[in-house]
Amino acid sequence: AKQAAQWLAMMTSPTDAPTVNAMRIHSAIVYPSAENLSHLPQALAWLGENALKPGGSKDWLMTRALREVPLLDALGYTIPPQAQWALTAAPPSAPLQGPAGEAATATTRSAYQQRIGETVLNVLVALGGPGPAKAPVSVVARCVDALATIGMRDEARAIAAEAVLGSSMRPSK
């Protein structure tokens, strides 16, 4: 964490801003220290504002906002007004079919009923073989929220981290 902070301090060019922003948000997800979390509101506001602006990184920033903001919301973080749009702007994904769809639907109910084993099983089935990085963000957010609801906050954070860091998002050149 200290080495990453030193590296971030050296990134001062305006063209570094998208990368610095990603690192700030990802650091808060993976390692929620007081320092990392202190940067989160500003980083989310920056992402929310800049994802809507035209420019070279717009597609990458939009993809990040639509994936990361709902996951951070599911983890219980306050989403600043500048990024609130990302909670409802994602295009609807195809509903999951079969056992995965049924498990995704049951996840919220089992979590609110504090059925720990059932919730964990539903999460595993809903995320499926490809896992959080390939699952629709709405399903991952539901699973993250369910795990946090039953007190498995570290596991919820791990799934959110895998969903964000394991996805194939790359900045456009």
Side-chain angles (χ1 to χ4, degrees):
K2 288 181 183 181
Q3 289 172 334
Q6 291 171 347
W7 189 60
L8 280 171
M10 294 174 56
M11 298 180 73
T12 57
S13 168
T15 60
D16 293 336
T19 302
V20 169
N21 174 265
M23 290 184 67
R24 293 268 188 229
I25 291 173
H26 298 171
S27 294
I29 292 171
V30 174
Y31 183 65
S33 67
E35 182 178 350
N36 286 343
L37 291 176
S38 72
H39 298 288
L40 189 58
Q42 180 182 355
L44 285 171
W46 184 94
L47 178 61
E49 290 171 351
N50 286 279
L52 298 174
K53 293 179 182 176
S57 296
K58 180 182 178 23
D59 290 342
W60 179 57
L61 295 175
M62 180 65 71
T63 300
R64 282 191 46 230
L66 293 175
R67 188 148 188 91
E68 295 169 19
V69 172
L71 292 174
L72 285 159
D73 182 58
L75 285 169
Y77 293 110
T78 301
I79 306 302
Q82 300 90 327
Q84 288 281 328
W85 62 266
L87 295 172
T88 58
S93 58
L96 294 176
Q97 301 297 317
E102 292 170 19
T105 301
T107 298
T108 303
R109 183 194 72 247
S110 62
Y112 284 104
Q113 293 174 349
Q114 290 296 302
R115 294 181 175 175
I116 296 169
E118 183 179 334
T119 302
V120 170
L121 182 60
N122 283 330
V123 166
L124 292 172
V125 173
L127 293 176
K134 303 266 189 237
V137 70
S138 60
V139 172
V140 179
R142 181 181 288 187
C143 291
V144 166
D145 180 59
L147 290 173
T149 298
I150 63 169
M152 298 181 76
R153 191 151 173 85
D154 290 340
E155 291 80 358
R157 181 179 312 288
I159 287 175
E162 186 175 338
V164 170
L165 300 177
S167 68
S168 60
M169 306 184 288
R170 299 290 181 260
S172 53
K173 299 285 181 187

